[in-house]
Amino acid sequence: MAQLETDLVIIGAGPTGLFAAYYAGFRGFRVAVVDSLPELGGQITAMYPEKLILDVAGFPRVKGRELVEGLVEQANTAEPDYLLGRTATGLDCTDDAVTVSLDDDTAVVAKALIITAGIGKFSPRPLPAGDGWLGRGMEFFVPSFAPYAGKDVVIVGGGDSAFDWAVSLEPIASSVTLVHRRDAFRAHERTVQQVRDSSVEIVTKAQVTGLFGEPTVSEVEITVDGQEPVRRPAQAVVAALGFVADLGPLQHWGIEVQKRHVVVDSSMRTNLPRVFAAGDVTEYDGKVRLIAVGFGEAATAVNNAAVVIDPSAHVFPGHSSEAS
Ligand SMILES: Cc1cc2nc3c(=O)[nH]c(=O)nc-3n(C[C@H](O)[C@H](O)[C@H](O)COP(=O)(O)OP(=O)(O)OC[C@H]3O[C@@H](n4cnc5c(N)ncnc54)[C@H](O)[C@@H]3O)c2cc1C
């Protein structure tokens, strides 16, 4: 079993976890950040990277992707150890340390833990016909558009991500086809209209029933309800079928959980010593689940964890402007 020793371990690399990582660096601590997703940014990266966010203090409007870029730049000042694509599956607390076990057999030993696990570990809903095609032309995320230039792209899904990606890829792809199993969509009406007004072909009451090609996809089979399957060229398939979130193993670590959320006090402490929580995952009277609130809770959690990590430290960190 590989072992990593650090001062603070953070579970969850969403906006709250990233800001907590920055704060750990500001306090002079070593920090490790674990996330089951392969990318940083939590819900923002997974679900709405191209949407404008209007309620982050100091940014009258900011695209999800740009907010994450800023958070990562800020977090990187702490030089975190990012442990991505790995799920935290176990927790062991002693009087002077916490040990978080990951599903790749790594053990992260730290003086304190902050859980910023949001709505839990999310996994993309699989495309049944796409089994074995991930990375061979099929993806669940569209983190950048350039790889799709000049390709015939098939997007599967009827939600915001499917439509946002159709809008973004249409100008650069050779063709974009959106396949959805119903004829009603869950995306914003304005985006749906934008897609209808574009060259994107929308195929409804239909499913992608096969992918073909070697080594990467070159054709897909689309089956419209009640009709014969039809094959068409496609060098890229985006399965935008949404995500399932699961708080999973956290619920069995002896942490007080209420309706799938971690109960904290006003210093973001849980019922376990050395274990704090912040962001969407927390529960207390009056809790509001917003990015802005998560930022405040991250600062509170790290600064209270600071005293646990180093008993001679103060909760108040001083002003960052004085350190600049
Ligand atoms: C479509 C949409 C639009 C939104 N728009 C806004 C908006 O305009 N303004 C606003 O303030 N909020 C908005 N929100 C809500 C906002 O995204 C959340 O409040 C925010 O992402 C919470 O951040 P977080 O870091 O606490 O958790 P998350 O972003 O959920 O990140 C948690 C991370 O923890 C990881 N994780 C969980 N469990 C484990 C585990 N066991 N091991 C490893 N990793 C784990 C997950 O993979 C995830 O990456 C929106 C949400 C959605 C879905």
Side-chain angles (χ1 to χ4, degrees):
M1 178 182 271
Q3 184 164 308
L4 174 74
E5 277 190 36
T6 190
D7 295 318
L8 179 67
V9 55
I10 295 172
I11 300 175
T16 310
L18 288 171
F19 190 56
Y22 156 74
Y23 237 107
F26 181 58
R27 296 297 312 236
F29 298 135
R30 294 169 301 163
V31 59
V33 184
V34 180
D35 204 299
S36 45
L37 293 176
E39 308 253 347
L40 300 168
Q43 288 176 53
I44 303 179
T45 300
M47 296 194 229
Y48 58 108
E50 294 303 318
K51 279 204 182 313
L52 282 175
I53 303 171
L54 309 179
D55 57 352
V56 177
F59 293 93
R61 47 179 51 225
V62 60
K63 247 189 196 181
R65 166 196 310 286
E66 285 158 11
L67 179 63
V68 171
E69 279 167 11
L71 284 163
V72 172
E73 183 183 336
Q74 198 174 28
N76 284 349
T77 60
E79 299 182 12
D81 286 305
Y82 290 120
L83 304 167
L84 300 181
R86 292 178 243 195
T87 299
T89 50
L91 172 66
D92 184 42
C93 296
T94 61
D95 284 348
D96 49 12
V98 292
T99 303
V100 175
S101 333
L102 311 186
D103 61 355
D104 70 341
D105 262 359
T106 305
V108 187
V109 182
K111 293 176 188 143
L113 161 66
I114 301 183
I115 299 172
T116 54
I119 49 176
K121 170 197 167 183
F122 17 95
S123 331
R125 282 208 173 87
L127 174 67
D131 197 20
W133 288 92
L134 187 61
R136 295 175 53 211
M138 190 198 78
E139 299 296 339
F140 294 114
F141 290 100
V142 181
S144 64
F145 303 140
Y148 294 85
K151 291 190 177 164
D152 298 301
V153 183
V154 172
I155 300 174
V156 193
D160 280 314
S161 299
F163 276 84
D164 288 348
W165 287 331
V167 167
S168 305
L169 296 180
E170 189 255 359
I172 59 162
S174 171
S175 71
V176 176
T177 306
L178 192 142
V179 179
H180 185 43
R181 66 196 154 90
R182 291 198 298 267
D183 56 2
F185 305 112
R186 282 171 286 105
H188 281 160
E189 190 45 49
R190 208 178 47 162
T191 325
V192 174
Q193 197 53 50
Q194 237 179 314
V195 170
R196 289 194 197 280
D197 294 342
S198 73
S199 70
V200 173
E201 183 185 352
I202 301 178
V203 186
T204 55
K205 296 187 177 172
Q207 301 191 46
V208 168
T209 43
L211 277 68
F212 304 92
E214 185 57 43
T216 58
V217 68
S218 57
E219 273 191 325
V220 299
E221 179 186 83
I222 298 174
T223 308
V224 176
D225 291 355
Q227 296 182 20
E228 286 300 307
V230 175
R231 279 198 190 192
R232 63 166 71 199
Q235 302 80 47
V237 175
V238 181
L241 298 165
F243 292 85
V244 277
D246 176 18
L247 207 52
L250 294 185
Q251 295 174 99
H252 312 292
W253 292 351
I255 297 170
E256 190 186 345
V257 171
Q258 232 176 51
K259 290 189 189 151
R260 300 170 41 81
H261 295 108
V262 173
V263 177
V264 290
D265 66 13
S266 58
S267 52
M268 300 297 127
R269 260 173 228 277
T270 70
N271 60 311
L272 296 185
R274 298 181 177 271
V275 180
F276 295 74
D280 271 19
V281 78
T282 63
E283 184 62 62
Y284 51 85
D285 195 22
K287 169 71 186 182
V288 176
R289 289 189 174 82
L290 284 175
I291 296 165
V293 175
F295 289 162
E297 291 177 3
T300 300
V302 176
N303 286 308
N304 281 281
V307 186
V308 171
I309 295 168
D310 173 7
S312 67
H314 297 285
V315 172
F316 185 65
H319 293 133
S320 67
S321 53
E322 279 150 29
S324 63

